[in-house]
PDB file of all heavy atoms in Angstrom:
ATOM      1  N   ARG A 624      11.809  11.764 -13.498  1.00 87.00           N
ATOM      2  CA  ARG A 624      12.849  12.172 -12.560  1.00 87.00           C
ATOM      3  C   ARG A 624      12.740  13.678 -12.311  1.00 87.00           C
ATOM      4  O   ARG A 624      12.553  14.454 -13.249  1.00 87.00           O
ATOM      5  CB  ARG A 624      14.248  11.837 -13.102  1.00 87.00           C
ATOM      6  CG  ARG A 624      14.562  10.343 -13.079  1.00 87.00           C
ATOM      7  CD  ARG A 624      16.011  10.076 -13.435  1.00 87.00           C
ATOM      8  NE  ARG A 624      16.351   8.668 -13.303  1.00 87.00           N
ATOM      9  CZ  ARG A 624      16.741   8.089 -12.183  1.00 87.00           C
ATOM     10  NH1 ARG A 624      16.861   8.824 -11.091  1.00 87.00           N
ATOM     11  NH2 ARG A 624      17.039   6.812 -12.156  1.00 87.00           N
ATOM     12  N   VAL A 625      12.850  14.044 -11.052  1.00 92.00           N
ATOM     13  CA  VAL A 625      12.765  15.453 -10.661  1.00 92.00           C
ATOM     14  C   VAL A 625      14.062  15.843  -9.971  1.00 92.00           C
ATOM     15  O   VAL A 625      14.515  15.141  -9.055  1.00 92.00           O
ATOM     16  CB  VAL A 625      11.571  15.703  -9.720  1.00 92.00           C
ATOM     17  CG1 VAL A 625      11.500  17.185  -9.331  1.00 92.00           C
ATOM     18  CG2 VAL A 625      10.268  15.266 -10.378  1.00 92.00           C
ATOM     19  N   ARG A 626      14.636  16.939 -10.409  1.00 91.00           N
ATOM     20  CA  ARG A 626      15.845  17.478  -9.789  1.00 91.00           C
ATOM     21  C   ARG A 626      15.588  18.914  -9.361  1.00 91.00           C
ATOM     22  O   ARG A 626      14.748  19.615  -9.916  1.00 91.00           O
ATOM     23  CB  ARG A 626      17.020  17.444 -10.771  1.00 91.00           C
ATOM     24  CG  ARG A 626      17.482  16.049 -11.155  1.00 91.00           C
ATOM     25  CD  ARG A 626      18.652  16.126 -12.106  1.00 91.00           C
ATOM     26  NE  ARG A 626      19.760  16.895 -11.534  1.00 91.00           N
ATOM     27  CZ  ARG A 626      20.832  17.293 -12.229  1.00 91.00           C
ATOM     28  NH1 ARG A 626      20.919  17.005 -13.526  1.00 91.00           N
ATOM     29  NH2 ARG A 626      21.789  17.976 -11.643  1.00 91.00           N
ATOM     30  N   VAL A 627      16.332  19.335  -8.342  1.00 91.00           N
ATOM     31  CA  VAL A 627      16.257  20.707  -7.854  1.00 91.00           C
ATOM     32  C   VAL A 627      17.622  21.349  -8.006  1.00 91.00           C
ATOM     33  O   VAL A 627      18.645  20.753  -7.640  1.00 91.00           O
ATOM     34  CB  VAL A 627      15.804  20.750  -6.377  1.00 91.00           C
ATOM     35  CG1 VAL A 627      15.914  22.167  -5.823  1.00 91.00           C
ATOM     36  CG2 VAL A 627      14.379  20.255  -6.254  1.00 91.00           C
ATOM     37  N   ASN A 628      17.635  22.544  -8.554  1.00 90.00           N
ATOM     38  CA  ASN A 628      18.894  23.255  -8.793  1.00 90.00           C
ATOM     39  C   ASN A 628      19.366  23.960  -7.520  1.00 90.00           C
ATOM     40  O   ASN A 628      19.463  25.179  -7.454  1.00 90.00           O
ATOM     41  CB  ASN A 628      18.713  24.271  -9.936  1.00 90.00           C
ATOM     42  CG  ASN A 628      18.327  23.599 -11.234  1.00 90.00           C
ATOM     43  OD1 ASN A 628      18.810  22.510 -11.545  1.00 90.00           O
ATOM     44  ND2 ASN A 628      17.447  24.231 -12.001  1.00 90.00           N
ATOM     45  N   ARG A 629      19.588  23.151  -6.500  1.00 87.00           N
ATOM     46  CA  ARG A 629      20.112  23.684  -5.241  1.00 87.00           C
ATOM     47  C   ARG A 629      20.881  22.579  -4.537  1.00 87.00           C
ATOM     48  O   ARG A 629      20.453  21.420  -4.538  1.00 87.00           O
ATOM     49  CB  ARG A 629      18.994  24.204  -4.349  1.00 87.00           C
ATOM     50  CG  ARG A 629      19.520  24.832  -3.054  1.00 87.00           C
ATOM     51  CD  ARG A 629      18.404  25.396  -2.191  1.00 87.00           C
ATOM     52  NE  ARG A 629      17.721  26.525  -2.829  1.00 87.00           N
ATOM     53  CZ  ARG A 629      16.810  27.257  -2.214  1.00 87.00           C
ATOM     54  NH1 ARG A 629      16.470  26.987  -0.949  1.00 87.00           N
ATOM     55  NH2 ARG A 629      16.234  28.256  -2.852  1.00 87.00           N
ATOM     56  N   ARG A 630      21.957  22.945  -3.920  1.00 86.00           N
ATOM     57  CA  ARG A 630      22.782  21.961  -3.220  1.00 86.00           C
ATOM     58  C   ARG A 630      22.237  21.686  -1.825  1.00 86.00           C
ATOM     59  O   ARG A 630      21.452  22.467  -1.287  1.00 86.00           O
ATOM     60  CB  ARG A 630      24.222  22.455  -3.120  1.00 86.00           C
ATOM     61  CG  ARG A 630      24.927  22.610  -4.457  1.00 86.00           C
ATOM     62  CD  ARG A 630      26.356  23.095  -4.248  1.00 86.00           C
ATOM     63  NE  ARG A 630      27.082  23.232  -5.503  1.00 86.00           N
ATOM     64  CZ  ARG A 630      28.332  23.663  -5.601  1.00 86.00           C
ATOM     65  NH1 ARG A 630      29.005  23.994  -4.493  1.00 86.00           N
ATOM     66  NH2 ARG A 630      28.920  23.769  -6.781  1.00 86.00           N
ATOM     67  N   ASP A 631      22.683  20.575  -1.280  1.00 86.00           N
ATOM     68  CA  ASP A 631      22.402  20.216   0.110  1.00 86.00           C
ATOM     69  C   ASP A 631      20.913  20.099   0.416  1.00 86.00           C
ATOM     70  O   ASP A 631      20.445  20.497   1.472  1.00 86.00           O
ATOM     71  CB  ASP A 631      23.046  21.240   1.070  1.00 86.00           C
ATOM     72  CG  ASP A 631      24.563  21.335   0.874  1.00 86.00           C
ATOM     73  OD1 ASP A 631      25.171  20.285   0.582  1.00 86.00           O
ATOM     74  OD2 ASP A 631      25.094  22.437   1.008  1.00 86.00           O
ATOM     75  N   VAL A 632      20.148  19.559  -0.537  1.00 87.00           N
ATOM     76  CA  VAL A 632      18.735  19.273  -0.283  1.00 87.00           C
ATOM     77  C   VAL A 632      18.443  17.842  -0.728  1.00 87.00           C
ATOM     78  O   VAL A 632      19.137  17.276  -1.586  1.00 87.00           O
ATOM     79  CB  VAL A 632      17.795  20.247  -1.029  1.00 87.00           C
ATOM     80  CG1 VAL A 632      17.992  21.663  -0.524  1.00 87.00           C
ATOM     81  CG2 VAL A 632      17.977  20.157  -2.532  1.00 87.00           C
TER      82      VAL A 632
END
Side-chain angles (χ1 to χ4, degrees):
R624 288 188 175 274
V625 180
R626 294 181 57 191
V627 172
N628 299 322
R629 183 178 295 187
R630 296 180 179 179
D631 302 325
V632 296

